């Protein structure tokens, strides 16, 4: 059983590079049910996930590098790439700060796993975690893979609402929509 909460993080009040980091690449063999393969540094894992947001069934199976490479040829869409930093927090918990790369560059989330639903519901997140998006389908990795620009645009406007800046209107270009938030804060194209 996986029990976790996920937050949309805007900025960190510390140097994230001081903490252990994993380079993660994950891709999906199926979205329903969710079947994922992941490379985390030198570890390779196949994961099957059940339905749900806060709590859901999860089964993991270690893979060899060869098995991972063969399965990666059968995945759907572009893999999600991110750096995951492991930050110890109060209550003997670990905040997993994910800084996304590639099409999702500019997105940062923080996840915390819990031993029970009760512990997850009682958890009071530090202010730097940002907005709780645990129940929002748009921030599941399967959704991020399917619509990376949608998550970035949503994140931009949420950040803009919380931190006053000048927001320029979305412009349509031959390559798709473009969001520009001034004051050197966030720019996506």
């Amino acid at each position: 059983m996986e029990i976790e909460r996920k937050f949309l993080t805007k900025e960190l009040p510390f140097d994230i590079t001081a903490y252990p980091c994993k380079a993660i690449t994950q891709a999906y063999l199926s979205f329903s049910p969710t079947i994922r393969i992941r490379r985390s540094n030198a570890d390779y894992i196949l994961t099957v996930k059940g339905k749900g947001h806060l709590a859901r069934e999860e089964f993991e199976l270690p893979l060899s590098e060869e098995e991972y490479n063969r399965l990666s040829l059968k995945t759907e869409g572009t893999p999600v790439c991110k750096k995951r930093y492991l930050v110890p927090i109060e209550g003997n918990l670990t905040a997993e700060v994910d800084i996304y790369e590639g099409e999702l560059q500019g997105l940062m989330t923080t996840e915390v796993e819990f031993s029970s639903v009760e512990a997850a519901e009682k958890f009071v997140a530090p202010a730097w975690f940002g907005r709780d998006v645990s129940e929002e389908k748009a921030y599941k990795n399967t959704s991020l893979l399917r619509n990376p620009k949608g998550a970035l645009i949503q994140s931009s406007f949420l950040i803009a609402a919380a931190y006053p800046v000048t927001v320029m209107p979305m412009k349509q270009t031959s390559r798709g929509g473009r969001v520009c938030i001034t004051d050197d804060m966030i720019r996506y194209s």
Side-chain angles (χ1 to χ4, degrees):
M1 176 73 70
E2 176 186 58
I3 304 166
E4 69 181 8
R5 287 182 54 195
K6 188 173 194 173
F7 301 83
L8 182 61
T9 305
K10 186 219 173 274
E11 62 183 332
L12 301 169
F14 50 83
D15 178 13
I16 193 71
T17 62
Y19 296 94
C21 177
K22 296 179 180 181
I24 294 175
T25 301
Q26 60 191 47
Y28 293 83
L29 297 164
S30 171
F31 294 111
S32 184
T34 301
I35 303 174
R36 174 189 77 201
I37 57 170
R38 173 185 278 176
R39 181 181 67 222
S40 177
N41 291 344
D43 295 323
Y44 303 89
I45 304 158
L46 173 88
T47 305
V48 179
K49 293 185 175 226
K51 293 184 183 216
H53 294 283
L54 180 65
R56 60 185 175 168
E57 292 296 324
E58 179 179 88
F59 171 79
E60 293 188 337
L61 176 71
L63 297 173
S64 68
E65 183 177 4
E66 181 183 336
E67 290 167 326
Y68 173 86
N69 289 334
R70 277 197 317 257
L71 286 171
S72 68
L73 299 173
K74 299 177 183 314
T75 60
E76 300 180 36
T78 305
V80 172
C81 299
K82 58 191 175 182
K83 295 272 194 282
R84 172 167 286 173
Y85 293 89
L86 306 174
V87 181
I89 58 172
E90 200 172 305
N92 202 29
L93 297 170
T94 300
E96 298 175 344
V97 179
D98 289 344
I99 300 176
Y100 291 80
E101 301 172 340
E103 289 184 339
L104 291 166
Q105 186 172 349
L107 180 64
M108 180 169 41
T109 61
T110 300
E111 295 179 4
V112 180
E113 291 194 15
F114 300 92
S115 58
S116 70
V117 171
E118 181 181 76
E121 290 172 343
K122 285 183 178 181
F123 178 71
V124 177
W128 64 266
F129 273 36
R131 189 169 68 84
D132 189 339
V133 295
S134 303
E135 299 291 328
E136 296 183 37
K137 187 176 180 181
Y139 291 98
K140 288 186 171 284
N141 283 313
T142 52
S143 295
L144 294 174
L145 183 139
R146 290 177 178 170
N147 186 17
K149 293 293 184 191
L152 292 174
I153 289 168
Q154 235 181 355
S155 299
S156 299
F157 285 109
L158 291 171
I159 291 167
Y163 302 91
V165 294
T166 306
V167 179
M168 303 303 291
M170 185 181 296
K171 297 179 182 178
Q172 292 295 323
T173 68
S174 61
R175 294 180 358 207
R178 178 177 165 178
V179 173
C180 177
I181 297 178
T182 60
D183 297 344
D184 294 325
M185 195 172 213
I186 298 175
R187 290 186 174 91
Y188 299 109
S189 57

